[in-house]
Amino acid sequence: MKRTRQSARFDPYYKIQWYDAVSLTWRDIQQAFSTTGEAEAQYLPDKKCRLIEITMQGRHPISAI
């Protein structure tokens, strides 16, 4: 994740979310990844997970397992 010096611009990065069936919400895992492969390797084996892409325009899910 690179930032341009003295700006709030950044390269896209990825986060994992897991589904909490008790509260019926998606919860972030508080770690950012540079590639989709790095992020997917950290999926929680016993949870329903999805991959979120964060860009300058916002954040959106790109896959779910």
Side-chain angles (χ1 to χ4, degrees):
M1 293 172 292
K2 292 182 184 176
R3 281 190 60 186
T4 305
R5 188 172 171 85
Q6 298 179 342
S7 77
R9 297 181 190 275
F10 57 86
D11 290 340
Y13 64 95
Y14 305 91
K15 288 192 139 203
I16 300 169
Q17 290 182 332
W18 62 276
Y19 188 71
D20 182 351
V22 174
S23 63
L24 305 175
T25 59
W26 287 97
R27 296 183 176 254
D28 279 345
I29 293 175
Q30 297 300 317
Q31 185 174 0
F33 301 94
S34 298
T35 67
T36 58
E38 289 174 355
E40 289 172 339
Q42 299 300 316
Y43 275 5
L44 303 173
D46 58 337
K47 304 279 185 190
K48 181 176 180 180
C49 295
R50 70 180 182 179
L51 186 61
I52 303 295
E53 181 179 47
I54 294 97
T55 66
M56 293 293 295
Q57 289 73 38
R59 53 191 293 153
H60 62 277
I62 57 174
S63 71
I65 293 181

